[in-house]
Structures are given as structure tokens and as C-alpha cells.
Amino acid sequence: MAGVAMLWIAGANHQVEASASSPSLQTLIDQAAVGDRLTIPEGTYEGPLVITKPLALIADQTGEVLLKYTGEGQALRIEADGVAVDGLRIVDETVKNEPTILVTGDQVQLSHLTIITAADGIQLRGAQGGELRGNLVVWSSQAAAQAVRLAAKGNGIDLYDSHDNLITGNRIRDMHDGIYLENSDHNEVTDNDLADSRYGVHCMYTVGTRILGNRGEGNVTGAMVMNTREVEITGNTFAKQNENVNSQGLLLFDAHATLVRDNQLEGNRVGIYVEQSSDNQLEGNRMLDNFIGIQLISASGNTLTGNQWIGNMADAQARGSVDNTISGNYWDAHRGVDIDGDGYSDISYAVNPLFSGIVQRRPQLQLLFQSPGMLFLEDLYQADRQSWTTDASPLMRPLDMRETDPDRQSGWLVGVAGSVLLAGTGILYYLARRRGT
């Protein structure tokens, strides 16, 4: 420990004056009693630290408390249940496989930490019922100068076999995956800010994960949900995932019984990508200004309702996706007719599978996307239309317009007028044919 500082041990009701000749911070931790609250004064302390008993390690708020570590292994290892660590700045810039913080105890609380790392920031292994709140995890600029590849970086927060944890209010930047969960069930990932990484949130082999109110920007994929069941993805914003040919706002692969609700996917290469996934419910999502709004690949038994596609270069692509229930969505590329004035088009909206089928066989033909020639071919292509992914009754207007437009009650007039014009055109065509004969 550098300089002269005071270490208060609240539980033991006494204080220790620590100086350059005093025992190390690790020794003072070891000397503390179970349940003690240790307030660490401003200063720089050397790692590693190991905590093997329930206690609270709290940084004094009057100045920076820095834990610095330059070796292999973990800068901080927590093996006990019921430990709390708050307010430390941890700098651990050695590129390595071991994480900066390793937690193996249950009910551990890590809060308001700043972690500068060249490894995984926080790992939970077999740790249940913990809370990670308000932490900042960023990739070390020193490690960045070594040009470490994205695939070799560590994850911001990494869980394995760790259940019922709350991960909330964290900010994670420039890591491999922001938050990674594997074989870890019923965790809640809430209100985190995830940027400039591979996947903002990455779930593998999880059940009951809740991903709520997070923000992802500039990642390859905002949220990657794979080999999962009963995941809830609600109220998130995933924007500007568009710098990679495989970028998506949200990806579901082999995901089942998932609820995807009230999310905003904006400015991504693909808003939502769904492959080999079934029995999922997508409702109330907004796909805005994406290259492709949604892609459905070999996806079946899913329900899409109340979603909105606005300003996308292409609303949707679908291939090999059958038995999905799609109804009551708004597609701004669709030109419908509402005869009865109920706000829903009486003309269905079908997603033409021609282009996605061509690209599957000849990926290089992606260059022809939305070209005049390809649009012309799509207009001509009508094969097996009954199997196309189709919205049976699309919305005529975006939901917010339906709620606020005072003239919406008169929509049936527009429908009637359109029907009259259509009928009149048909009669004129018939009469012209009769005169021609």
C-alpha cells in the first residue's frame, strides 16, 4: 500500500493505521472478522486479493481507491458467500486467460467498480444469487496497443453454471462479449449499456433469462440468443449494429418459447434474425431504418403481431419458414385497402422468397440487392405463393398514428372509395374489351 492511510474495520469497532511498513491489504482482510465492513481510504494498493469470509470491502468516497495488479491469475478472487465489494478502481492490464475478478461464492455483490482489464472483467463460476450493479468494464488501452484480435479479448461479465443473478446498470465497452451467459439459468440482465464489442448480450444453453431495458450500439450483434428456452427480451434498444456482414440487432438461433416484446431495432444491418427457432412470440417491436427489418430462416410456429417496420431498405426476407402466425403488423412497404374501416388491410402482405433463395445458392449475388433487375424478377416470381411468409391482415397505419389520429374513424371512407375506383376500372376494361371484339 502506497503512502499513509487509515483502514476502518466497522464490525470490529476499531481502526488500524496503515503505512508502508504496515501489513498488506490482504493481511488486514485476513485479520478481519466475519461480517466486518472494511472502508479502504484513498490510495494505490497491490493485488492480488483473496476474500475467503463474508465481509464488505468498501472504497472511501473522498478519493480514488486503486487496486493494481500486473501478474497472472486474478486481481481479486472471492471464494466466500455474502461478500460485498464497492467503489474500487481495478487496473489489470496483463493479457491472460484468467479474469480480473473471479467469483465462486453465492450472494456476492459487486457494485460501482471500474475495471480496466486485458482479460475477462468479472467471471462467475458456480455462483448463485449475486448482484453486479453499476460497474464499468473496459478493455485496456495498453492491451489495445498490442493489437489483440477481437476473438482473443475477454468478456466484460462472464457467467457459467451461475443462476439467479442480477446484472444491472453496468457499462461495458470494447470487449469480446459484453455479457456472456452459458449454462446459467434465471439470470436478469437489466438496464446495461453495451457497446463496441462482438455481442452485447450472449446467451448459450440458458433457461429463463430476462434481458430487459438494455442498450446496445456498435456491436457486431446487439443480443445473440442461442440454444435457449423461455427467454424474455423486452424493452431493449439495439442500434447501429451494421459494420459487419453478419451484424444484427437481435439474433435468435435454436431459441424456443422466447418472448420478444417492445424492443427497438434501429439502423442495423438486420433488425431481427430468426433461424431454426420455434414457438417464439414477437410483439410490439419497432424495426426502424435497418438494411433488412427481419429475416426468418427455417423458423416455424412463431407468432408475430403488433410489430412495425418503418424506413427499412427491405422489410423482410424469409426462407423455409412455415406455420408462423403473422397478423396485425405494420409494413410501410405495403399498400393495402381497408374496405370495412377496421384499421387492417383486406389485402395480405407476402414476403417474396426469391432473392433470399438466390443468395443462399450464390452469396456473391447479394450485390444485386434491391437492384431494378432483381425487383423486376421478384414481381414476376409467383411460384408456390401459398407457402410464402404472409401477414394476413397488416395494419394500415403505424400504431402511434392509430392512437393519435383524430381522422382514423373515417378510414372506411378511403376503403370504400378505393373499392369503387377499382370496380369502375374493371367495368371500363370490360367494356373496352367488348367494343374491341
Side-chain angles (χ1 to χ4, degrees):
M1 177 162 41
V4 177
M6 302 294 291
L7 180 69
W8 289 274
I9 307 179
N13 197 28
H14 69 277
Q15 61 186 35
V16 176
E17 182 175 342
S19 67
S21 60
S22 296
S24 68
L25 181 54
Q26 178 66 63
T27 300
L28 294 172
I29 290 171
D30 293 341
Q31 291 173 351
V34 169
D36 277 348
R37 176 185 174 93
L38 283 66
T39 301
I40 310 171
E42 175 183 1
T44 299
Y45 302 83
E46 295 296 329
L49 300 179
V50 181
I51 301 176
T52 59
K53 69 188 76 171
L55 54 79
L57 195 63
I58 311 298
D60 189 353
Q61 297 302 304
T62 59
E64 181 179 81
V65 177
L66 173 62
L67 177 65
K68 191 170 184 179
Y69 184 57
T70 58
E72 299 293 330
Q74 304 92 22
L76 172 61
R77 188 166 77 250
I78 300 173
E79 300 176 352
D81 299 343
V83 172
V85 181
D86 183 280
L88 275 68
R89 179 181 177 87
I90 303 174
V91 176
D92 178 26
E93 298 186 289
T94 302
V95 178
K96 57 189 174 182
N97 294 323
E98 296 293 331
T100 294
I101 299 177
L102 175 63
V103 177
T104 58
D106 297 340
Q107 288 82 51
V108 170
Q109 298 182 26
L110 302 179
S111 54
H112 309 111
L113 306 176
T114 296
I115 301 170
I116 314 298
T117 183
D120 283 349
I122 301 171
Q123 273 189 7
L124 272 61
R125 294 294 183 264
Q128 327 303 332
E131 183 176 304
L132 311 180
R133 179 183 294 273
N135 304 293
L136 170 65
V137 184
V138 298
W139 187 252
S140 158
S141 59
Q142 177 178 304
Q146 301 177 37
V148 176
R149 295 180 301 108
L150 177 61
K153 289 184 176 181
N155 299 323
I157 295 173
D158 185 301
L159 275 65
Y160 185 85
D161 190 29
S162 298
H163 315 294
D164 300 299
N165 297 284
L166 173 62
I167 303 171
T168 185
N170 303 283
R171 290 186 298 139
I172 301 175
R173 295 284 184 279
D174 198 26
M175 302 297 294
H176 186 241
D177 291 345
I179 298 171
Y180 178 77
L181 305 98
E182 182 178 352
N183 289 322
S184 298
D185 300 334
H186 302 292
N187 293 289
E188 186 165 311
V189 179
T190 305
D191 193 31
N192 301 283
D193 193 337
L194 311 160
D196 303 323
S197 302
R198 186 183 67 153
Y199 307 146
V201 180
H202 188 185
C203 299
M204 292 280 291
Y205 308 107
T206 72
V207 175
T209 304
R210 302 182 73 212
I211 303 171
L212 314 175
N214 302 281
R215 296 164 300 283
E217 183 171 324
N219 306 289
V220 174
T221 297
M224 174 77 73
V225 179
M226 306 176 68
N227 311 108
T228 61
R229 293 193 61 83
E230 299 171 18
V231 174
E232 179 183 352
I233 307 168
T234 298
N236 304 279
T237 298
F238 297 119
K240 300 179 182 177
Q241 272 78 214
N242 54 27
E243 295 295 322
N244 189 285
V245 295
N246 297 310
S247 287
Q248 304 92 10
L250 169 63
L251 185 147
L252 304 180
F253 181 85
D254 192 19
H256 308 278
T258 300
L259 174 62
V260 181
R261 181 173 59 196
D262 297 336
N263 301 283
Q264 182 152 311
L265 297 306
E266 183 173 2
N268 305 289
R269 191 189 71 86
V270 177
I272 299 178
Y273 180 97
V274 184
E275 183 174 358
Q276 296 181 33
S277 298
S278 62
D279 303 318
N280 301 299
Q281 192 168 349
L282 284 71
E283 60 182 46
N285 303 288
R286 289 167 56 88
M287 274 63 68
L288 308 176
D289 302 326
N290 302 283
F291 189 64
I292 301 171
I294 188 169
Q295 283 185 317
L296 301 171
I297 309 297
S298 302
S300 61
N302 302 289
T303 300
L304 285 76
T305 184
N307 304 287
Q308 301 182 74
W309 282 265
I310 300 173
N312 303 282
M313 184 170 289
D315 281 343
Q317 290 183 354
R319 186 178 72 248
S321 297
V322 297
D323 299 326
N324 295 295
T325 301
I326 304 175
S327 182
N329 305 282
Y330 176 75
W331 315 79
D332 69 352
H334 178 57
R335 299 293 177 262
V337 174
D338 181 11
I339 296 175
D340 56 10
D342 64 354
Y344 296 90
S345 173
D346 300 306
I347 301 174
S348 63
Y349 177 63
V351 179
N352 194 310
L354 176 65
F355 181 74
S356 59
I358 289 173
V359 169
Q360 181 188 22
R361 294 187 293 272
R362 295 287 188 273
Q364 62 271 27
L365 294 181
Q366 292 181 76
L367 294 171
L368 299 179
F369 179 73
Q370 293 293 90
S371 67
M374 185 57 67
L375 294 175
F376 176 72
L377 289 175
E378 285 185 329
D379 287 340
L380 293 178
Y381 181 77
Q382 297 295 316
D384 198 23
R385 189 181 175 91
Q386 68 275 9
S387 68
W388 292 10
T389 296
T390 301
D391 189 324
S393 55
L395 285 171
M396 292 293 294
R397 300 179 183 175
L399 289 169
D400 49 359
M401 288 182 62
R402 283 168 55 85
E403 293 168 359
T404 60
D405 187 353
D407 297 326
R408 66 185 183 276
Q409 299 295 336
S410 62
W412 66 275
L413 293 174
V414 177
V416 170
S419 299
V420 170
L421 288 172
L422 184 62
T425 301
I427 292 170
L428 290 173
Y429 179 75
Y430 173 76
L431 293 174
R433 290 287 302 272
R434 292 262 306 187
R435 284 197 298 269
T437 59

